Amino acid sequence: MTTIITPDLCDEFPEVEVAAPGFNNYGGIKAFGGEIVTVKCFEDNSVVKEQVGLPGKGRVMVVDGGGSMRHALLGDMLAEKAASNGWAGLIIYGCVRDVDEIGKTDLGVQALATYPRKSEKRGLGDLDVPVTFHGVTFRPGHYVYADNNGIIVAEKSLV
């Protein structure tokens, strides 16, 4: 696999969109990328749980949790399921928990922060809709790349 270095991709492809700073790397894989699948949910990770149980095919799930700091949308069990089902990573506009275990998982995970409370399960959320946060719109079928330098979005695969 090609090494993902977002500054190099920005230099080579100046048309990419760059998300505003604020995300932290929590996964065992620190640089990851792939085709975008989106989930829009608020304090309810039911759709995230459903999706990590499906084949990831090297894609990246971008979860718009509304920036909530009151519930974690990903924990160690769902991260392990995502890794075992072939997801490249998750980018979460919200919180995660169980970060010591997530850090041992073969998965890229970026989120705003950690919070120990699990999310609610009401079966709410939208799949494969454009989501916008940190100055970037993430569209299903486009591509996202993330590392310790930041997050970038492109209409086509760059690697």
Side-chain angles (χ1 to χ4, degrees), residues 79-91:
E80 183 55 45
K81 186 176 275 194
S84 66
N85 284 326
W87 289 89
L90 287 92
I91 296 171

Side-chain angles (χ1 to χ4, degrees), residues 2 11 13 18 35-36 44-45 51 54 62 81 84 91 93 100-101 107 114 122 125 135 139 142 144 147 150 153:
T2 304
D11 292 350
F13 303 98
V18 180
E35 186 178 349
I36 297 171
D44 180 343
N45 72 347
Q51 290 302 301
L54 301 174
V62 177
K81 186 176 275 194
S84 66
I91 296 171
Y93 183 49
D100 294 332
E101 290 304 311
L107 183 70
T114 63
R122 298 182 316 265
R139 292 177 175 82
H142 285 194
V144 63
D147 63 10
V153 177

Side-chain angles (χ1 to χ4, degrees), residues 39-108:
V39 172
K40 186 174 180 72
C41 58
F42 185 74
E43 298 181 355
D44 180 343
N45 72 347
S46 300
V47 177
V48 174
K49 181 178 181 182
E50 178 183 287
Q51 290 302 301
V52 298
L54 301 174
K57 303 175 186 171
R59 295 174 295 172
V60 175
M61 189 183 312
V62 177
V63 180
D64 180 355
S68 173
M69 297 289 169
R70 299 185 306 196
H71 294 274
L73 296 175
L74 182 75
D76 61 337
M77 292 187 289
L78 293 186
E80 183 55 45
K81 186 176 275 194
S84 66
N85 284 326
W87 289 89
L90 287 92
I91 296 171
I92 299 176
Y93 183 49
C95 293
V96 297
R97 67 186 205 156
D98 303 314
V99 295
D100 294 332
E101 290 304 311
I102 289 175
K104 300 174 190 172
T105 305
D106 194 23
L107 183 70

Side-chain angles (χ1 to χ4, degrees), residues 4-42:
I4 293 169
I5 303 170
T6 58
D8 291 351
L9 291 173
C10 285
D11 292 350
E12 187 174 349
F13 303 98
E15 72 277 8
V16 300
E17 294 183 77
V18 180
F23 288 84
N24 299 298
N25 229 332
Y26 295 105
I29 296 177
K30 300 300 179 194
F32 61 97
E35 186 178 349
I36 297 171
V37 172
T38 63
V39 172
K40 186 174 180 72
C41 58
F42 185 74

